Amino acid sequence: QPGVYGAYGRSPTGIMTTSYFASDCAGSYPQGIGSIMITYALEGGTQRSYHPHPGVPYSGTSRVAYLPCTKEAQDLLQRLKYAFQYGLTFGISGNDKIVWSSIPHKTKRSMGGQQGWPDPDYFKRCHNALDDLWVPLAEDLTSRTITHPDGLLW
């Protein structure tokens, strides 16, 4: 049901961390704002009843994604944190590998393909994917801020 929060996904156990990176994402405006690096460390384990092959082991992995350090990205980051906490960011594929779910992530700060910046439609696509998973809007979540080196807070 739309508007009902708290759905749990099928993501393997892991840790999500965020940090400020001085380098911009390609095409970021204004220039010199830096980027937010999101790191996911996912543990290996044994598939559970809701995975494709219960009882079969899968290997751990790590993933990195980037956002420009803007207010819009900070709001999106709050929703991405919620999605991760509720197991909506990753899944296990039919060939027993950890894979991204339906939430798009940018895995490069540089230009290039669908995984890089700039991408004028990225925030809209990502918010739409999060809406489809009933992830609350940023203003409905308790947020923590990232401190910009210039002292700005979002």
Side-chain angles (χ1 to χ4, degrees):
Q1 290 173 301
V4 177
Y5 303 136
Y8 285 91
R10 298 173 176 197
S11 184
T13 303
I15 297 170
M16 174 187 181
T17 59
T18 59
S19 56
Y20 175 77
F21 213 59
S23 299
D24 290 343
C25 293
S28 294
Y29 297 102
Q31 294 289 321
I33 60 172
S35 55
I36 300 166
M37 182 171 66
I38 306 166
T39 303
Y40 298 100
L42 301 157
E43 300 173 8
T46 303
Q47 294 182 52
R48 298 182 180 228
S49 62
Y50 47 80
H51 290 136
H53 302 116
V56 174
Y58 61 92
S59 297
T61 190
S62 62
R63 300 277 195 280
V64 176
Y66 299 94
L67 297 169
C69 198
T70 63
K71 171 68 170 111
E72 183 178 23
Q74 182 66 37
D75 288 346
L76 177 60
L77 181 60
Q78 295 308 314
R79 297 186 79 195
L80 291 173
K81 286 179 181 179
Y82 180 97
F84 183 77
Q85 290 170 346
Y86 282 87
L88 303 170
T89 308
F90 295 94
I92 299 177
S93 69
N95 62 353
D96 308 320
K97 305 281 185 200
I98 296 175
V99 295
W100 293 104
S101 70
S102 60
I103 304 166
H105 282 72
K106 293 294 183 177
T107 57
K108 293 196 246 178
R109 284 189 328 272
S110 59
M111 292 183 180
Q114 294 180 335
Q115 301 309 316
W117 291 95
D119 182 345
D121 298 322
Y122 172 72
F123 289 102
K124 181 179 179 181
R125 279 194 326 278
C126 197
H127 281 297
N128 286 342
L130 293 164
D131 290 345
D132 290 346
L133 294 168
W134 306 330
V135 172
L137 298 175
E139 58 263 22
D140 295 332
L141 297 170
T142 303
S143 65
R144 287 192 270 152
T145 59
I146 289 181
T147 305
H148 191 279
D150 293 335
L152 304 173
L153 293 176
W154 289 292

